[in-house]
Amino acid sequence: MSGHAGMRRARVAIDGPAGSGKSTVARRLAERLGYVLVDTGALYRTVALAAQRGGLAWSDAEAVAALARRLVEARGIVVARGDLDPSVGGSGVRVTLEGDDVSLAIRAPEMSVGASRVSAIPAVRQALLVVQRQAGAAGGVVLEGRDIGTVVFPDAEVKFFLTASPEVRARRRWEELSARGAGVSLEDTLADVVERDRADTERPVAPLRKADDAIEIDSSESSADEVIERMARLVEDRVARLAQG
Ligand code: DC
């Protein structure tokens, strides 16, 4: 890349648990920086949906992994770059599965469970690794996930680990679900959040953990605007320093 200050395009990793505000923050940070958003959770959700549509149990590791590999090879999962519609939920990315628009379907609470299950299968993670690395290779990207800074891009130029208390995360999730007409209780949502945290941090493959060199940001007490502003400054500082060599 030519050495024009400010022109360097970084890879920004944002990892953290469900409901930490990651999706909103990642989307708006990408918009603010003029970067592309890569929502890696959407890939796991789409594999979970494809498995369900194909009549496979999420626990059938071999069959689900074979399906994931086949989809990746055939480019059956297409995540639109830069076409974000927050009204579908999550980060707002538009996703097609073998030509069928599944942007809304992958946001169903059931697919949160399915994604969590299929993401525990090592061969599924392996298949999706290739897609994620391709999506981020050119830089100028904000990658949102669980293991971006630890596994997908351990050499990312900027790494964030976004957290919030379980209560705050459950409330946010619940408000999002309620706004979309899902009749769930706050209590059940909190139980869900706690259970998903446990599954995601205790799984043997690529468990959710903060990379040693990630900047931890607790969003419990801050507005999204404040968090995004702080992150944008940190990225801009880093990019400016890189440009200076
Ligand atoms: O961020 P999300 O809620 O869309 O993620 C759905 C599930 O996928 C979540 O249970 C964790 C898993 N996931 C993962 O294991 N690794 C990623 N990079 C992204 C998501």
Side-chain angles (χ1 to χ4, degrees), residues 18-56:
S20 58
K22 239 182 351 163
S23 307
T24 304
V25 163
R27 171 168 46 79
R28 291 187 42 205
L29 181 66
E31 282 165 0
R32 149 95 204 243
L33 295 168
Y35 281 17
V36 166
L37 174 73
V38 179
D39 171 1
T40 63
L43 296 170
Y44 290 96
R45 288 171 179 272
T46 306
V47 169
L49 181 70
Q52 191 194 55
R53 288 187 172 177
L56 306 177

Side-chain angles (χ1 to χ4, degrees), residues 22 40-41 44-45 115-116 119 125 145-147 196 200 203:
K22 239 182 351 163
T40 63
Y44 290 96
R45 288 171 179 272
S116 185
S119 72
R125 304 202 68 86
R146 298 291 191 291
D147 62 340
R196 207 136 71 94
D200 291 346
R203 68 173 175 225

Side-chain angles (χ1 to χ4, degrees), residues 15-17 20 25 159-164 210 214-220 222-223 226-232 234:
D15 293 307
S20 58
V25 163
K159 300 180 187 179
F160 294 110
F161 194 79
L162 204 61
T163 58
K210 177 187 161 300
I215 303 162
E216 183 162 346
I217 296 187
D218 186 328
S219 73
S220 302
S222 318
S223 69
E226 289 166 335
V227 170
I228 291 156
E229 195 48 41
R230 191 169 151 216
M231 291 168 86
L234 287 161

Side-chain angles (χ1 to χ4, degrees), residues 72-141:
V72 167
E73 274 162 29
R75 298 182 192 278
I77 303 176
V78 177
V79 180
R81 290 172 84 91
D83 176 16
L84 304 177
D85 175 6
S87 72
V88 301
S91 63
V93 286
R94 305 230 59 118
V95 184
T96 59
L97 169 60
E98 295 178 316
D100 183 19
D101 187 335
V102 295
S103 314
L104 264 176
I106 61 167
R107 299 297 163 188
E110 197 189 357
M111 288 310 138
S112 300
V113 177
S116 185
R117 295 272 169 76
V118 303
S119 72
I121 304 169
V124 168
R125 304 202 68 86
Q126 194 58 39
L128 295 183
L129 192 55
V130 182
V131 183
Q132 297 172 76
R133 288 196 173 142
Q134 278 170 357
V141 285

Side-chain angles (χ1 to χ4, degrees), residues 176-239:
E176 190 195 322
L177 291 171
S178 303
R180 283 163 41 215
V184 290
S185 72
L186 180 56
E187 253 187 340
D188 285 352
T189 311
L190 177 59
D192 240 46
V193 162
V194 170
E195 171 52 25
R196 207 136 71 94
D197 278 0
R198 197 196 53 71
D200 291 346
T201 52
E202 289 178 10
R203 68 173 175 225
V205 217
L208 174 67
R209 76 171 178 83
K210 177 187 161 300
D212 293 334
D213 54 349
I215 303 162
E216 183 162 346
I217 296 187
D218 186 328
S219 73
S220 302
E221 309 290 326
S222 318
S223 69
D225 284 343
E226 289 166 335
V227 170
I228 291 156
E229 195 48 41
R230 191 169 151 216
M231 291 168 86
R233 287 229 192 83
L234 287 161
V235 174
E236 283 161 1
D237 281 358
R238 177 86 177 114
V239 168

